[in-house]
Amino acid sequence: MDMIKAVFFDARDTLGEVDSPGHLVPYRPTTEKLLTSMKELGLRLACITNLPDTLTSEQGKQMITGAVLSDAPVRTIGEFIAADDIITNHDAGANKPDARIYTFAARKLGLQPGECLFLGENLIEVLGARAAGFQAELKPCPPGREFLPAPLGGKKSPTDSGRAFEAFFDDEWIVLDGTPEA
């Protein structure tokens, strides 16, 4: 088994929820903790995502890099994953789980597929990554996915979508370990 040099995350349902086209709401605080831990291991962080035809690669990259992980101070996914390290189906000319998107992603980072780890919540995409030669793991979604993304009646801040599940993710720490973040 090759040494892992880069971790590729799926975006939607792995790092957060897409509540409207072009808007990613990260799972809070788990996504920030995950990205911080991977970065501390010295791994390069990247993303492989399928976008709808209505979003360009640039719009998808902005959606991911601009997603707010925490408010004080404001931290975004872009502090962990560079826009150049986000590979979309539009760039690769193939959708996940097609092996071509994974091999395109590894090549773009100058790596062999075996040096890459793919983390995603979708078993078929994990198997597609393995078929392409990636190491791959299934990442469970955090609690709260059973909540409908219904509006709460207005945004609380410029980074808040005003949706019920985003409010739930803000308080996710209560469900995870019962103690507030320092």
Side-chain angles (χ1 to χ4, degrees):
M1 186 175 289
D2 293 325
M3 176 187 238
I4 297 171
K5 295 183 180 176
V7 178
F8 288 88
F9 297 92
D10 179 29
R12 182 177 174 214
D13 299 333
T14 297
L15 297 178
E17 290 278 345
V18 175
D19 71 342
S20 63
H23 188 248
L24 176 68
V25 179
Y27 299 127
R28 296 171 69 169
T30 56
T31 296
E32 185 174 8
K33 288 180 178 182
L34 175 64
L35 296 174
T36 299
S37 298
M38 293 292 184
K39 194 71 146 180
E40 288 173 354
L41 290 173
L43 298 167
R44 185 172 180 182
L45 306 184
C47 185
I48 300 173
T49 190
N50 290 339
L51 297 173
D53 291 339
T54 57
L55 286 181
T56 67
S57 285
E58 288 309 311
Q59 289 170 320
K61 290 175 184 187
Q62 176 55 43
M63 173 186 71
I64 295 165
T65 59
V68 177
L69 295 167
S70 55
D71 294 321
V74 173
R75 293 189 81 190
T76 64
I77 290 178
E79 293 178 42
F80 297 93
I81 302 175
D84 286 346
D85 292 343
I86 297 171
I87 288 71
T88 73
N89 54 326
H90 303 321
D91 297 332
N95 292 322
K96 293 180 292 174
D98 189 310
R100 293 176 294 169
I101 195 168
Y102 303 100
T103 55
F104 177 89
R107 192 169 45 250
K108 185 164 190 238
L109 269 60
L111 300 171
Q112 294 299 313
E115 297 173 316
C116 302
L117 172 66
F118 176 77
L119 291 178
E121 88 303 334
N122 182 301
L123 178 61
I124 301 304
E125 292 177 0
V126 167
L127 294 175
R130 287 182 184 164
F134 274 50
Q135 298 176 56
E137 294 293 331
L138 190 62
K139 180 201 169 283
C141 291
R145 292 193 25 103
E146 67 277 6
F147 290 100
L148 295 175
L152 287 174
K155 296 182 178 191
K156 295 183 286 185
S157 74
T159 59
D160 182 359
S161 71
R163 302 242 177 223
F165 68 85
E166 185 169 2
F168 178 82
F169 295 149
D170 281 341
D171 296 326
E172 182 182 341
W173 58 267
I174 294 170
V175 175
L176 295 176
D177 64 7
T179 57
E181 296 253 299

